[in-house]
Amino acid sequence: MGKQPVRMKAVVYALSPFQQKVMPGLWKDLPGKISHKISENWISATLLLGPLVGTYSYVQWYREKETMEHRY
């Protein structure tokens, strides 16, 4: 038995350079999406932001202390 040729149609997707709404769903309800992600992952967000804020606060305090020591 020989192989039968099968006709296939090629589908080509392209964006027009004049297309204005390429990703409208990305920006739709952005604050709602962000708050939903934070409320879902509040433990991970706390564990990420806690050390960052603590380190930044410590650095600011230390720089202020060093500045005050060198004033006199």
Side-chain angles (χ1 to χ4, degrees):
M1 294 189 88
K3 293 184 179 178
Q4 297 284 334
V6 178
R7 286 186 172 249
M8 298 188 68
K9 292 184 180 179
V11 178
V12 177
Y13 294 99
L15 286 175
S16 168
F18 304 107
Q19 181 78 25
Q20 297 296 319
K21 296 180 181 179
V22 177
M23 297 186 299
L26 182 63
W27 310 111
K28 189 184 229 181
D29 190 31
L30 190 62
K33 289 179 182 177
I34 291 173
S35 65
H36 180 69
K37 289 290 184 187
I38 290 175
S39 65
E40 269 185 3
N41 304 314
W42 65 272
I43 294 175
S44 298
T46 304
L47 292 176
L48 172 70
L49 295 176
L52 289 176
V53 171
T55 304
Y56 180 77
S57 306
Y58 175 74
V59 167
Q60 294 301 319
W61 170 80
Y62 187 81
R63 287 177 65 195
E64 182 67 22
K65 187 179 104 174
E66 287 292 316
T67 305
M68 294 307 259
E69 284 180 2
H70 292 292
R71 281 198 174 175
Y72 299 109

PDB file of all heavy atoms in Angstrom, residues 36-66:
ATOM      1  N   HIS A  36      -5.428  40.950  44.474  1.00  0.00           N
ATOM      2  CA  HIS A  36      -5.767  39.524  44.550  1.00  0.00           C
ATOM      3  C   HIS A  36      -4.508  38.678  44.722  1.00  0.00           C
ATOM      4  O   HIS A  36      -4.479  37.751  45.547  1.00  0.00           O
ATOM      5  CB  HIS A  36      -6.515  39.108  43.284  1.00  0.00           C
ATOM      6  CG  HIS A  36      -6.912  37.662  43.260  1.00  0.00           C
ATOM      7  ND1 HIS A  36      -7.878  37.147  44.091  1.00  0.00           N
ATOM      8  CD2 HIS A  36      -6.464  36.623  42.524  1.00  0.00           C
ATOM      9  CE1 HIS A  36      -8.017  35.851  43.853  1.00  0.00           C
ATOM     10  NE2 HIS A  36      -7.160  35.509  42.907  1.00  0.00           N
ATOM     11  N   LYS A  37      -3.450  38.994  43.983  1.00  0.00           N
ATOM     12  CA  LYS A  37      -2.212  38.240  44.108  1.00  0.00           C
ATOM     13  C   LYS A  37      -1.593  38.423  45.497  1.00  0.00           C
ATOM     14  O   LYS A  37      -1.067  37.468  46.078  1.00  0.00           O
ATOM     15  CB  LYS A  37      -1.196  38.689  43.047  1.00  0.00           C
ATOM     16  CG  LYS A  37      -1.555  38.274  41.657  1.00  0.00           C
ATOM     17  CD  LYS A  37      -1.402  36.792  41.494  1.00  0.00           C
ATOM     18  CE  LYS A  37      -1.677  36.382  40.067  1.00  0.00           C
ATOM     19  NZ  LYS A  37      -1.700  34.950  39.874  1.00  0.00           N
ATOM     20  N   ILE A  38      -1.652  39.640  46.025  1.00  0.00           N
ATOM     21  CA  ILE A  38      -1.083  39.884  47.354  1.00  0.00           C
ATOM     22  C   ILE A  38      -1.900  39.169  48.421  1.00  0.00           C
ATOM     23  O   ILE A  38      -1.351  38.576  49.345  1.00  0.00           O
ATOM     24  CB  ILE A  38      -0.975  41.395  47.631  1.00  0.00           C
ATOM     25  CG1 ILE A  38       0.123  41.979  46.748  1.00  0.00           C
ATOM     26  CG2 ILE A  38      -0.675  41.667  49.096  1.00  0.00           C
ATOM     27  CD1 ILE A  38       0.259  43.469  46.824  1.00  0.00           C
ATOM     28  N   SER A  39      -3.235  39.207  48.304  1.00  0.00           N
ATOM     29  CA  SER A  39      -4.054  38.538  49.310  1.00  0.00           C
ATOM     30  C   SER A  39      -3.887  37.019  49.238  1.00  0.00           C
ATOM     31  O   SER A  39      -3.997  36.333  50.250  1.00  0.00           O
ATOM     32  CB  SER A  39      -5.525  38.925  49.145  1.00  0.00           C
ATOM     33  OG  SER A  39      -6.025  38.463  47.910  1.00  0.00           O
ATOM     34  N   GLU A  40      -3.626  36.502  48.045  1.00  0.00           N
ATOM     35  CA  GLU A  40      -3.373  35.061  47.914  1.00  0.00           C
ATOM     36  C   GLU A  40      -2.027  34.675  48.519  1.00  0.00           C
ATOM     37  O   GLU A  40      -1.895  33.632  49.129  1.00  0.00           O
ATOM     38  CB  GLU A  40      -3.343  34.668  46.432  1.00  0.00           C
ATOM     39  CG  GLU A  40      -4.657  34.241  45.868  1.00  0.00           C
ATOM     40  CD  GLU A  40      -4.498  33.750  44.434  1.00  0.00           C
ATOM     41  OE1 GLU A  40      -3.358  33.703  43.924  1.00  0.00           O
ATOM     42  OE2 GLU A  40      -5.516  33.425  43.839  1.00  0.00           O
ATOM     43  N   ASN A  41      -1.025  35.520  48.311  1.00  0.00           N
ATOM     44  CA  ASN A  41       0.349  35.176  48.689  1.00  0.00           C
ATOM     45  C   ASN A  41       0.893  36.139  49.734  1.00  0.00           C
ATOM     46  O   ASN A  41       2.032  36.556  49.642  1.00  0.00           O
ATOM     47  CB  ASN A  41       1.244  35.217  47.442  1.00  0.00           C
ATOM     48  CG  ASN A  41       0.742  34.318  46.348  1.00  0.00           C
ATOM     49  OD1 ASN A  41       0.380  33.185  46.595  1.00  0.00           O
ATOM     50  ND2 ASN A  41       0.707  34.827  45.140  1.00  0.00           N
ATOM     51  N   TRP A  42       0.114  36.475  50.746  1.00  0.00           N
ATOM     52  CA  TRP A  42       0.550  37.487  51.716  1.00  0.00           C
ATOM     53  C   TRP A  42       1.729  37.000  52.546  1.00  0.00           C
ATOM     54  O   TRP A  42       2.580  37.782  52.945  1.00  0.00           O
ATOM     55  CB  TRP A  42      -0.599  37.949  52.598  1.00  0.00           C
ATOM     56  CG  TRP A  42      -1.159  36.888  53.499  1.00  0.00           C
ATOM     57  CD1 TRP A  42      -2.141  36.010  53.216  1.00  0.00           C
ATOM     58  CD2 TRP A  42      -0.737  36.611  54.832  1.00  0.00           C
ATOM     59  NE1 TRP A  42      -2.358  35.182  54.283  1.00  0.00           N
ATOM     60  CE2 TRP A  42      -1.519  35.534  55.300  1.00  0.00           C
ATOM     61  CE3 TRP A  42       0.220  37.156  55.677  1.00  0.00           C
ATOM     62  CZ2 TRP A  42      -1.358  35.000  56.562  1.00  0.00           C
ATOM     63  CZ3 TRP A  42       0.375  36.616  56.942  1.00  0.00           C
ATOM     64  CH2 TRP A  42      -0.415  35.553  57.376  1.00  0.00           C
ATOM     65  N   ILE A  43       1.822  35.703  52.793  1.00  0.00           N
ATOM     66  CA  ILE A  43       2.953  35.184  53.574  1.00  0.00           C
ATOM     67  C   ILE A  43       4.247  35.356  52.782  1.00  0.00           C
ATOM     68  O   ILE A  43       5.258  35.838  53.305  1.00  0.00           O
ATOM     69  CB  ILE A  43       2.734  33.706  53.942  1.00  0.00           C
ATOM     70  CG1 ILE A  43       1.554  33.583  54.905  1.00  0.00           C
ATOM     71  CG2 ILE A  43       3.986  33.108  54.555  1.00  0.00           C
ATOM     72  CD1 ILE A  43       1.174  32.165  55.235  1.00  0.00           C
ATOM     73  N   SER A  44       4.220  35.002  51.510  1.00  0.00           N
ATOM     74  CA  SER A  44       5.415  35.151  50.680  1.00  0.00           C
ATOM     75  C   SER A  44       5.780  36.623  50.532  1.00  0.00           C
ATOM     76  O   SER A  44       6.966  36.981  50.556  1.00  0.00           O
ATOM     77  CB  SER A  44       5.183  34.545  49.298  1.00  0.00           C
ATOM     78  OG  SER A  44       4.929  33.175  49.415  1.00  0.00           O
ATOM     79  N   ALA A  45       4.779  37.488  50.368  1.00  0.00           N
ATOM     80  CA  ALA A  45       5.048  38.922  50.228  1.00  0.00           C
ATOM     81  C   ALA A  45       5.673  39.479  51.504  1.00  0.00           C
ATOM     82  O   ALA A  45       6.598  40.287  51.459  1.00  0.00           O
ATOM     83  CB  ALA A  45       3.761  39.666  49.890  1.00  0.00           C
ATOM     84  N   THR A  46       5.182  39.029  52.665  1.00  0.00           N
ATOM     85  CA  THR A  46       5.733  39.490  53.938  1.00  0.00           C
ATOM     86  C   THR A  46       7.174  39.018  54.105  1.00  0.00           C
ATOM     87  O   THR A  46       8.042  39.787  54.529  1.00  0.00           O
ATOM     88  CB  THR A  46       4.879  38.968  55.102  1.00  0.00           C
ATOM     89  OG1 THR A  46       3.532  39.393  54.904  1.00  0.00           O
ATOM     90  CG2 THR A  46       5.374  39.481  56.425  1.00  0.00           C
ATOM     91  N   LEU A  47       7.422  37.753  53.764  1.00  0.00           N
ATOM     92  CA  LEU A  47       8.773  37.220  53.890  1.00  0.00           C
ATOM     93  C   LEU A  47       9.744  37.870  52.912  1.00  0.00           C
ATOM     94  O   LEU A  47      10.945  37.935  53.170  1.00  0.00           O
ATOM     95  CB  LEU A  47       8.766  35.705  53.691  1.00  0.00           C
ATOM     96  CG  LEU A  47       8.066  34.910  54.790  1.00  0.00           C
ATOM     97  CD1 LEU A  47       8.030  33.434  54.422  1.00  0.00           C
ATOM     98  CD2 LEU A  47       8.747  35.112  56.124  1.00  0.00           C
ATOM     99  N   LEU A  48       9.242  38.376  51.801  1.00  0.00           N
ATOM    100  CA  LEU A  48      10.102  39.068  50.852  1.00  0.00           C
ATOM    101  C   LEU A  48      10.327  40.517  51.269  1.00  0.00           C
ATOM    102  O   LEU A  48      11.460  40.994  51.293  1.00  0.00           O
ATOM    103  CB  LEU A  48       9.482  39.040  49.453  1.00  0.00           C
ATOM    104  CG  LEU A  48      10.180  39.894  48.403  1.00  0.00           C
ATOM    105  CD1 LEU A  48      11.530  39.283  48.057  1.00  0.00           C
ATOM    106  CD2 LEU A  48       9.329  40.043  47.170  1.00  0.00           C
ATOM    107  N   LEU A  49       9.257  41.219  51.613  1.00  0.00           N
ATOM    108  CA  LEU A  49       9.361  42.652  51.892  1.00  0.00           C
ATOM    109  C   LEU A  49       9.892  42.952  53.288  1.00  0.00           C
ATOM    110  O   LEU A  49      10.506  43.999  53.490  1.00  0.00           O
ATOM    111  CB  LEU A  49       8.002  43.313  51.693  1.00  0.00           C
ATOM    112  CG  LEU A  49       7.481  43.292  50.259  1.00  0.00           C
ATOM    113  CD1 LEU A  49       6.091  43.886  50.202  1.00  0.00           C
ATOM    114  CD2 LEU A  49       8.427  44.004  49.327  1.00  0.00           C
ATOM    115  N   GLY A  50       9.659  42.074  54.252  1.00  0.00           N
ATOM    116  CA  GLY A  50      10.112  42.317  55.619  1.00  0.00           C
ATOM    117  C   GLY A  50      11.611  42.539  55.723  1.00  0.00           C
ATOM    118  O   GLY A  50      12.053  43.575  56.228  1.00  0.00           O
ATOM    119  N   PRO A  51      12.425  41.602  55.248  1.00  0.00           N
ATOM    120  CA  PRO A  51      13.880  41.819  55.319  1.00  0.00           C
ATOM    121  C   PRO A  51      14.355  43.017  54.490  1.00  0.00           C
ATOM    122  O   PRO A  51      15.290  43.707  54.880  1.00  0.00           O
ATOM    123  CB  PRO A  51      14.466  40.518  54.761  1.00  0.00           C
ATOM    124  CG  PRO A  51      13.413  39.504  54.985  1.00  0.00           C
ATOM    125  CD  PRO A  51      12.110  40.228  54.841  1.00  0.00           C
ATOM    126  N   LEU A  52      13.709  43.270  53.361  1.00  0.00           N
ATOM    127  CA  LEU A  52      14.114  44.415  52.549  1.00  0.00           C
ATOM    128  C   LEU A  52      13.874  45.730  53.278  1.00  0.00           C
ATOM    129  O   LEU A  52      14.745  46.603  53.325  1.00  0.00           O
ATOM    130  CB  LEU A  52      13.357  44.412  51.219  1.00  0.00           C
ATOM    131  CG  LEU A  52      13.754  43.332  50.228  1.00  0.00           C
ATOM    132  CD1 LEU A  52      12.868  43.389  48.993  1.00  0.00           C
ATOM    133  CD2 LEU A  52      15.205  43.476  49.829  1.00  0.00           C
ATOM    134  N   VAL A  53      12.689  45.866  53.877  1.00  0.00           N
ATOM    135  CA  VAL A  53      12.365  47.088  54.610  1.00  0.00           C
ATOM    136  C   VAL A  53      13.247  47.207  55.847  1.00  0.00           C
ATOM    137  O   VAL A  53      13.728  48.300  56.179  1.00  0.00           O
ATOM    138  CB  VAL A  53      10.859  47.108  54.979  1.00  0.00           C
ATOM    139  CG1 VAL A  53      10.539  48.243  55.918  1.00  0.00           C
ATOM    140  CG2 VAL A  53      10.021  47.208  53.718  1.00  0.00           C
ATOM    141  N   GLY A  54      13.480  46.100  56.534  1.00  0.00           N
ATOM    142  CA  GLY A  54      14.330  46.120  57.713  1.00  0.00           C
ATOM    143  C   GLY A  54      15.757  46.528  57.387  1.00  0.00           C
ATOM    144  O   GLY A  54      16.352  47.348  58.086  1.00  0.00           O
ATOM    145  N   THR A  55      16.313  45.984  56.319  1.00  0.00           N
ATOM    146  CA  THR A  55      17.672  46.330  55.912  1.00  0.00           C
ATOM    147  C   THR A  55      17.764  47.801  55.517  1.00  0.00           C
ATOM    148  O   THR A  55      18.695  48.509  55.905  1.00  0.00           O
ATOM    149  CB  THR A  55      18.121  45.445  54.734  1.00  0.00           C
ATOM    150  OG1 THR A  55      17.986  44.078  55.119  1.00  0.00           O
ATOM    151  CG2 THR A  55      19.542  45.737  54.330  1.00  0.00           C
ATOM    152  N   TYR A  56      16.780  48.284  54.777  1.00  0.00           N
ATOM    153  CA  TYR A  56      16.769  49.690  54.361  1.00  0.00           C
ATOM    154  C   TYR A  56      16.679  50.610  55.576  1.00  0.00           C
ATOM    155  O   TYR A  56      17.389  51.615  55.649  1.00  0.00           O
ATOM    156  CB  TYR A  56      15.608  49.934  53.405  1.00  0.00           C
ATOM    157  CG  TYR A  56      15.535  51.359  52.926  1.00  0.00           C
ATOM    158  CD1 TYR A  56      16.400  51.814  51.940  1.00  0.00           C
ATOM    159  CD2 TYR A  56      14.609  52.253  53.458  1.00  0.00           C
ATOM    160  CE1 TYR A  56      16.349  53.123  51.496  1.00  0.00           C
ATOM    161  CE2 TYR A  56      14.555  53.563  53.025  1.00  0.00           C
ATOM    162  CZ  TYR A  56      15.424  53.987  52.044  1.00  0.00           C
ATOM    163  OH  TYR A  56      15.376  55.283  51.616  1.00  0.00           O
ATOM    164  N   SER A  57      15.831  50.261  56.530  1.00  0.00           N
ATOM    165  CA  SER A  57      15.696  51.075  57.742  1.00  0.00           C
ATOM    166  C   SER A  57      16.997  51.093  58.532  1.00  0.00           C
ATOM    167  O   SER A  57      17.414  52.150  59.023  1.00  0.00           O
ATOM    168  CB  SER A  57      14.589  50.529  58.640  1.00  0.00           C
ATOM    169  OG  SER A  57      13.401  50.410  57.940  1.00  0.00           O
ATOM    170  N   TYR A  58      17.647  49.946  58.643  1.00  0.00           N
ATOM    171  CA  TYR A  58      18.906  49.873  59.374  1.00  0.00           C
ATOM    172  C   TYR A  58      19.983  50.718  58.702  1.00  0.00           C
ATOM    173  O   TYR A  58      20.727  51.433  59.366  1.00  0.00           O
ATOM    174  CB  TYR A  58      19.375  48.419  59.500  1.00  0.00           C
ATOM    175  CG  TYR A  58      20.726  48.303  60.134  1.00  0.00           C
ATOM    176  CD1 TYR A  58      20.895  48.499  61.499  1.00  0.00           C
ATOM    177  CD2 TYR A  58      21.855  48.029  59.360  1.00  0.00           C
ATOM    178  CE1 TYR A  58      22.140  48.419  62.087  1.00  0.00           C
ATOM    179  CE2 TYR A  58      23.107  47.940  59.940  1.00  0.00           C
ATOM    180  CZ  TYR A  58      23.246  48.137  61.307  1.00  0.00           C
ATOM    181  OH  TYR A  58      24.481  48.054  61.871  1.00  0.00           O
ATOM    182  N   VAL A  59      20.059  50.650  57.386  1.00  0.00           N
ATOM    183  CA  VAL A  59      21.066  51.424  56.662  1.00  0.00           C
ATOM    184  C   VAL A  59      20.825  52.919  56.850  1.00  0.00           C
ATOM    185  O   VAL A  59      21.762  53.684  57.077  1.00  0.00           O
ATOM    186  CB  VAL A  59      21.066  51.042  55.162  1.00  0.00           C
ATOM    187  CG1 VAL A  59      21.856  52.031  54.333  1.00  0.00           C
ATOM    188  CG2 VAL A  59      21.619  49.635  54.973  1.00  0.00           C
ATOM    189  N   GLN A  60      19.568  53.349  56.796  1.00  0.00           N
ATOM    190  CA  GLN A  60      19.259  54.763  57.002  1.00  0.00           C
ATOM    191  C   GLN A  60      19.636  55.195  58.421  1.00  0.00           C
ATOM    192  O   GLN A  60      20.191  56.276  58.617  1.00  0.00           O
ATOM    193  CB  GLN A  60      17.774  55.037  56.729  1.00  0.00           C
ATOM    194  CG  GLN A  60      17.384  54.844  55.285  1.00  0.00           C
ATOM    195  CD  GLN A  60      18.158  55.743  54.345  1.00  0.00           C
ATOM    196  OE1 GLN A  60      18.396  56.910  54.631  1.00  0.00           O
ATOM    197  NE2 GLN A  60      18.577  55.188  53.222  1.00  0.00           N
ATOM    198  N   TRP A  61      19.317  54.361  59.398  1.00  0.00           N
ATOM    199  CA  TRP A  61      19.650  54.681  60.794  1.00  0.00           C
ATOM    200  C   TRP A  61      21.162  54.771  60.973  1.00  0.00           C
ATOM    201  O   TRP A  61      21.666  55.688  61.615  1.00  0.00           O
ATOM    202  CB  TRP A  61      19.056  53.615  61.714  1.00  0.00           C
ATOM    203  CG  TRP A  61      19.531  53.730  63.122  1.00  0.00           C
ATOM    204  CD1 TRP A  61      19.078  54.595  64.073  1.00  0.00           C
ATOM    205  CD2 TRP A  61      20.573  52.965  63.735  1.00  0.00           C
ATOM    206  NE1 TRP A  61      19.761  54.409  65.243  1.00  0.00           N
ATOM    207  CE2 TRP A  61      20.704  53.409  65.063  1.00  0.00           C
ATOM    208  CE3 TRP A  61      21.401  51.946  63.291  1.00  0.00           C
ATOM    209  CZ2 TRP A  61      21.629  52.870  65.942  1.00  0.00           C
ATOM    210  CZ3 TRP A  61      22.320  51.411  64.166  1.00  0.00           C
ATOM    211  CH2 TRP A  61      22.428  51.883  65.476  1.00  0.00           C
ATOM    212  N   TYR A  62      21.913  53.812  60.387  1.00  0.00           N
ATOM    213  CA  TYR A  62      23.361  53.784  60.528  1.00  0.00           C
ATOM    214  C   TYR A  62      24.000  54.998  59.859  1.00  0.00           C
ATOM    215  O   TYR A  62      24.921  55.612  60.409  1.00  0.00           O
ATOM    216  CB  TYR A  62      23.918  52.486  59.929  1.00  0.00           C
ATOM    217  CG  TYR A  62      25.389  52.293  60.191  1.00  0.00           C
ATOM    218  CD1 TYR A  62      25.825  51.805  61.411  1.00  0.00           C
ATOM    219  CD2 TYR A  62      26.330  52.604  59.217  1.00  0.00           C
ATOM    220  CE1 TYR A  62      27.169  51.618  61.665  1.00  0.00           C
ATOM    221  CE2 TYR A  62      27.675  52.429  59.461  1.00  0.00           C
ATOM    222  CZ  TYR A  62      28.089  51.936  60.687  1.00  0.00           C
ATOM    223  OH  TYR A  62      29.418  51.769  60.941  1.00  0.00           O
ATOM    224  N   ARG A  63      23.526  55.368  58.686  1.00  0.00           N
ATOM    225  CA  ARG A  63      24.073  56.544  58.000  1.00  0.00           C
ATOM    226  C   ARG A  63      23.814  57.809  58.806  1.00  0.00           C
ATOM    227  O   ARG A  63      24.678  58.689  58.887  1.00  0.00           O
ATOM    228  CB  ARG A  63      23.463  56.670  56.610  1.00  0.00           C
ATOM    229  CG  ARG A  63      23.990  55.638  55.643  1.00  0.00           C
ATOM    230  CD  ARG A  63      23.339  55.716  54.303  1.00  0.00           C
ATOM    231  NE  ARG A  63      23.652  56.983  53.656  1.00  0.00           N
ATOM    232  CZ  ARG A  63      23.001  57.454  52.604  1.00  0.00           C
ATOM    233  NH1 ARG A  63      22.012  56.765  52.095  1.00  0.00           N
ATOM    234  NH2 ARG A  63      23.345  58.595  52.073  1.00  0.00           N
ATOM    235  N   GLU A  64      22.626  57.900  59.395  1.00  0.00           N
ATOM    236  CA  GLU A  64      22.311  59.067  60.214  1.00  0.00           C
ATOM    237  C   GLU A  64      23.211  59.108  61.445  1.00  0.00           C
ATOM    238  O   GLU A  64      23.709  60.169  61.830  1.00  0.00           O
ATOM    239  CB  GLU A  64      20.842  59.034  60.637  1.00  0.00           C
ATOM    240  CG  GLU A  64      20.397  60.217  61.455  1.00  0.00           C
ATOM    241  CD  GLU A  64      20.400  61.519  60.677  1.00  0.00           C
ATOM    242  OE1 GLU A  64      20.340  61.483  59.433  1.00  0.00           O
ATOM    243  OE2 GLU A  64      20.469  62.580  61.330  1.00  0.00           O
ATOM    244  N   LYS A  65      23.456  57.957  62.058  1.00  0.00           N
ATOM    245  CA  LYS A  65      24.335  57.885  63.228  1.00  0.00           C
ATOM    246  C   LYS A  65      25.753  58.321  62.874  1.00  0.00           C
ATOM    247  O   LYS A  65      26.384  59.088  63.600  1.00  0.00           O
ATOM    248  CB  LYS A  65      24.332  56.462  63.780  1.00  0.00           C
ATOM    249  CG  LYS A  65      25.077  56.307  65.087  1.00  0.00           C
ATOM    250  CD  LYS A  65      25.017  54.877  65.569  1.00  0.00           C
ATOM    251  CE  LYS A  65      26.353  54.255  65.284  1.00  0.00           C
ATOM    252  NZ  LYS A  65      26.559  52.936  65.777  1.00  0.00           N
ATOM    253  N   GLU A  66      26.258  57.828  61.747  1.00  0.00           N
ATOM    254  CA  GLU A  66      27.599  58.206  61.307  1.00  0.00           C
ATOM    255  C   GLU A  66      27.679  59.701  61.008  1.00  0.00           C
ATOM    256  O   GLU A  66      28.668  60.361  61.329  1.00  0.00           O
ATOM    257  CB  GLU A  66      27.987  57.411  60.054  1.00  0.00           C
ATOM    258  CG  GLU A  66      28.309  55.967  60.331  1.00  0.00           C
ATOM    259  CD  GLU A  66      29.584  55.799  61.127  1.00  0.00           C
ATOM    260  OE1 GLU A  66      30.584  56.476  60.818  1.00  0.00           O
ATOM    261  OE2 GLU A  66      29.575  54.994  62.079  1.00  0.00           O
TER     262      GLU A  66
END
